[in-house]
Amino acid sequence: MGGTPAGGVPVTGAPGRRPSPSPAGGPPRRPPTPQGSPVADRLGGAPRSAADAPTERVRARAVAPPVEPTQFAKPVFTGSLPPAAATRPPQRPAPPVRPRTIDAQTVVIPRVGEDRDAQNLHGVADADDEYDVGDEDAVAAREHPEDGIGRKAVRGIGELLITAGLVVLLFVVYEVYVTDLVSAGKQDDVTAALDDQWGANTVDGAQREAKYELIEGSAFAKIYIPVFGPDYKFSIVEGTTDADLEVGPGHYVGTALPGEPGNFAVAGHRVGKGSPFNDLDLLNSCDAVVVETQTGWFVYRVLPMEGEEQGWAEGRGRSEKCANVAPMKDPAQPGGGPYAQTVGQEIVSPKQGEVINPIPHYEGEVPVTQQASLLTLTTCHPRFSDKERLIIHATLVKQWEKNPDKPTETPPELEES
Amino acid sequence: MYEWIWRHLPGPLALRVVEALLLVAVVVTLLMFVVFPWAEPLLPFNNVTTE
């Protein structure tokens, strides 16, 4: 196959090729010629010839194809050398290096015994070799990669892992943002329903009774926390199931109702689902939590924190906000009385349901009439975890009936900030 | 996986891009409105009530 093209090469190749190797190689030593003389053997003649023989073969194989395209416009071989055939001819005149190497490969090399030259050429030939010999395979591999099972498996696992990471990220987005949107819609719905109900229930002039329609999942009151801003307002629904809490803060079934003696306990989400109780940890003692029902307003204030009780009356207790707020521990009684453990904020384990008892953490019997009216808010703690619960206790400091003649009247505590 | 999907999308490049984006949108929607709401209660992130 190399015969015809090689014979035709001389037109361009011969001039450049012949001179270059002959000066370098000196006397053309044909490798296989066994000299027989011991000197020649000692000089490495025999090994060299042995080494040369394979390189020649390689070169011949490597060289023959690249030359062909230059000779024949579009012969059979163009397909085998897509990039080389296109780029080589124009380059040939400009850089003298390339043509020489090619030429040398075709004709001269067999005769050259020079090591340096041979190595140099060999390197070039090798480069060509890859192109030429593996050409069809390489092209095929590039277009239709046929990877082994191991490669495919590793890539598949990698893709799966990346996908899993993206899904987890998406879940965070869902939890923090998307649930907010869904919950905002539901909260709007129950608020609208509650407003309708309150508006329709107006009895003209007459004093309305404090009556609640407690339907699980439906709103029956509104909660305001003025320090969180004038727009902080949620409708409290009855029940604390997941579905209820998706709508808004939920009232623990069976606990006291707003204003009643006992413990009006409300749970709310901290992250996502409207995040009603996101900032509960920022509440300080004496901050107002206002609850509105159909018939009245109830102002609760956060109890003194643990550690603030000492010197409360002389210190923080003297501020205007803290009127009617005092530590519930009774120093006159041994152990502080039933309310000894009732403080403004506490962090408990999820199992400690006693925080929503009529008297938090107290199992004993106390007549209802002697119970304080408390408000308890529960949410998860720390943020993004449900390892613990953050609990806020507040006490009722003020309440009054709504005036049917002035339905838009609001308590001044709502203006606090 | 992704390469396989890409190779099996019909049409020219522009159409393929649109199809790929559409596929992504479908998957994200499914996750957001079917899978995540189902999985969320099973995960220990957002229980706020005491027992």
Side-chain angles (χ1 to χ4, degrees), chain A residues 163 175 271 273 386 389, chain B residues 1-2 40 46-47 49 51:
Chain A
T163 310
E175 190 73 15
V271 172
K273 315 252 167 66
D386 68 350
R389 298 290 180 270
Chain B
M1 174 171 69
Y2 293 120
E40 199 208 0
N46 227 345
N47 298 319
T49 59
E51 289 161 10

Side-chain angles (χ1 to χ4, degrees), chain A residues 174-175 177-191 216-219 234-251 266-277, chain B residues 32-34 36-41 46-49:
Chain A
Y174 165 80
E175 190 73 15
Y177 297 106
V178 178
T179 57
D180 273 357
L181 296 178
V182 176
S183 291
K186 295 186 176 177
Q187 172 73 206
D188 287 349
D189 289 347
V190 296
T191 304
E216 179 129 356
S218 294
F234 283 93
S235 294
I236 302 175
V237 301
E238 174 72 357
T240 52
T241 64
D242 285 341
D244 298 332
L245 293 176
E246 205 179 329
V247 179
H251 171 233
V266 178
H269 278 295
R270 188 145 189 209
V271 172
K273 315 252 167 66
S275 312
F277 287 177
Chain B
M32 288 287 182
F33 296 104
V34 180
F36 289 161
W38 163 82
E40 199 208 0
N46 227 345
N47 298 319
V48 295
T49 59

Side-chain angles (χ1 to χ4, degrees), chain A residues 258-285:
Chain A
E260 289 180 355
N263 198 351
F264 174 53
V266 178
H269 278 295
R270 188 145 189 209
V271 172
K273 315 252 167 66
S275 312
F277 287 177
N278 188 31
D279 296 327
L280 280 198
D281 55 327
L282 301 181
L283 282 179
N284 293 315
S285 51

Side-chain angles (χ1 to χ4, degrees), chain A residues 85 132 161 173 229 280 294 318 350 355 362 370 379 401:
Chain A
D132 301 339
L161 288 177
V173 172
L280 280 198
Q294 184 180 356
R318 293 171 68 178
V355 295
Y362 187 73
Q370 290 175 31
T379 193
E401 300 282 322

Side-chain angles (χ1 to χ4, degrees), chain A residues 67-373:
Chain A
V67 181
E68 283 150 17
T70 65
Q71 290 306 117
F72 311 100
K74 300 261 178 192
V76 201
F77 286 96
T78 43
S80 68
L81 276 182
T87 52
R88 238 166 242 186
Q91 278 179 358
R92 192 157 281 187
V97 187
R98 264 223 171 187
R100 211 199 324 154
T101 61
I102 287 165
D103 294 341
Q105 291 159 2
T106 44
V107 183
V108 179
I109 284 161
R111 261 164 249 179
V112 176
E114 243 286 330
D115 274 347
R116 188 165 33 111
D117 210 341
Q119 275 169 8
N120 182 23
L121 289 168
H122 187 59
V124 174
D126 268 353
D128 270 8
D129 224 15
E130 280 167 28
Y131 269 109
D132 301 339
V133 176
D135 217 10
E136 280 133 68
D137 290 349
V139 170
R142 256 173 260 137
E143 284 171 3
H144 308 286
E146 294 206 6
D147 296 330
I149 286 223
R151 227 171 202 295
K152 274 184 178 165
V154 167
R155 184 189 298 152
I157 292 172
E159 287 180 350
L160 277 181
L161 288 177
I162 293 173
T163 310
L166 288 175
V167 168
V168 170
L169 276 181
L170 259 185
F171 182 76
V172 173
V173 172
Y174 165 80
E175 190 73 15
V176 176
Y177 297 106
V178 178
T179 57
D180 273 357
L181 296 178
V182 176
S183 291
K186 295 186 176 177
Q187 172 73 206
D188 287 349
D189 289 347
V190 296
T191 304
L194 184 64
D195 287 339
D196 280 355
Q197 185 196 331
W198 286 359
N201 245 6
T202 311
V203 183
D204 39 7
Q207 191 76 287
R208 290 166 296 177
E209 259 181 63
K211 181 168 156 276
Y212 303 100
E213 288 187 34
L214 296 178
I215 302 162
E216 179 129 356
S218 294
F220 67 94
K222 292 180 187 174
I223 184 171
Y224 305 79
I225 302 182
V227 288
F228 291 165
D231 57 345
Y232 182 95
K233 169 177 135 180
F234 283 93
S235 294
I236 302 175
V237 301
E238 174 72 357
T240 52
T241 64
D242 285 341
D244 298 332
L245 293 176
E246 205 179 329
V247 179
H251 171 233
Y252 283 89
V253 177
T255 62
L257 288 164
E260 289 180 355
N263 198 351
F264 174 53
V266 178
H269 278 295
R270 188 145 189 209
V271 172
K273 315 252 167 66
S275 312
F277 287 177
N278 188 31
D279 296 327
L280 280 198
D281 55 327
L282 301 181
L283 282 179
N284 293 315
S285 51
C286 303
D287 281 343
V289 178
V290 181
V291 175
E292 177 189 10
T293 65
Q294 184 180 356
T295 57
W297 290 92
F298 304 87
V299 178
Y300 294 86
R301 286 192 185 274
V302 178
L303 285 165
M305 303 293 167
E306 204 168 0
E308 284 182 334
E309 293 147 332
Q310 282 291 335
W312 176 263
E314 299 80 41
R316 188 168 171 79
R318 293 171 68 178
S319 68
E320 192 188 334
K321 268 174 84 174
C322 292
N324 297 330
V325 183
M328 299 201 72
K329 192 185 274 183
D330 186 353
Q333 291 191 45
Y339 287 100
Q341 294 180 67
T342 307
V343 292
Q345 183 197 88
E346 57 181 336
I347 288 163
V348 302
S349 101
K351 299 281 178 201
Q352 289 180 269
E354 62 266 25
V355 295
I356 61 166
N357 285 354
I359 298 173
H361 300 290
Y362 187 73
E363 302 291 345
E365 290 287 320
V366 174
V368 174
T369 48
Q370 290 175 31
Q371 290 175 2
S373 294

